[in-house]
Amino acid sequence: MTTESPTPELSYEKPLPPVLELTKPFWDGCREGVLQIQFCNICDLPWFPPAEACPRCLQDDWEWRPISGHGTVWSWIRMWQKYFPGWSPDEYPYTVALIKLEEGPYMYSTLVEIEDQDVSCDLAVEVDFRKVNDEITLPVFRPAST
């Protein structure tokens, strides 16, 4: 898993998620090249996105655990329109996918290192990381190497 830095002369202009008390462990893990999600200590359910309580048993006894970083493409969309500032013309189009993580939950992310015609449902993917500033390293997915 790699962590690439943005071009030093350029600041990151794209929208970024806020780092909240609840989500800080997720972003800390991404900065370290580790994808982690919450697991319930009562019923062992893994979930994403982060929440204060288990979506199954509603208990607030949970912990962050590292996961494999593997999954499959469940659905995707090719973004051709510039909806937000910060993207340069050479970054379009790009692919956003709904990834079914090996552990069960789903996660939206960007697909990288793949041509549009090669994306398909059930495509095996693995996480990679892109550092955008000192606080945020974004998880992205690329075709699995094996």
Side-chain angles (χ1 to χ4, degrees), residues 1-4 12 16-17 23 26-37 48 67 69 95-97 99 101 107-112 126-132 135-142:
M1 296 179 204
T2 61
T3 304
E4 295 178 4
Y12 195 81
L16 289 172
T23 62
F26 175 80
W27 297 114
D28 290 346
C30 288
R31 264 197 330 276
E32 296 169 10
V34 176
L35 189 61
Q36 54 187 6
I37 60 175
F48 190 86
I67 61 171
T95 303
V96 176
I99 306 297
L101 299 171
M107 176 183 287
Y108 284 102
S109 187
T110 304
L111 283 183
V112 298
E126 61 189 7
V127 73
D128 198 0
F129 297 92
R130 301 290 192 261
K131 180 178 179 177
V132 296
E135 191 173 35
I136 299 286
T137 298
L138 295 171
V140 298
F141 284 81
R142 64 177 178 215

Side-chain angles (χ1 to χ4, degrees), residues 24-101:
K24 187 175 182 323
F26 175 80
W27 297 114
D28 290 346
C30 288
R31 264 197 330 276
E32 296 169 10
V34 176
L35 189 61
Q36 54 187 6
I37 60 175
Q38 292 169 288
F39 282 78
C40 182
N41 288 325
I42 305 301
C43 70
D44 207 39
L45 180 76
W47 73 85
F48 190 86
E52 294 285 347
C54 173
R56 178 189 291 152
C57 70
L58 304 179
Q59 299 298 309
D60 64 358
D61 183 5
W62 51 264
E63 65 184 344
W64 289 93
R65 295 182 201 165
I67 61 171
S68 69
H70 291 104
T72 55
V73 172
W74 194 83
S75 183
W76 75 97
I77 185 170
R78 191 80 168 147
M79 300 295 292
W80 293 86
Q81 179 69 37
K82 182 178 180 179
Y83 290 102
F84 302 101
W87 276 267
S88 64
D90 63 329
E91 293 178 294
Y92 277 89
Y94 63 94
T95 303
V96 176
L98 181 58
I99 306 297
K100 184 172 196 293
L101 299 171

Side-chain angles (χ1 to χ4, degrees), residues 7 18 47 55 116:
T7 308
W47 73 85
D116 188 38

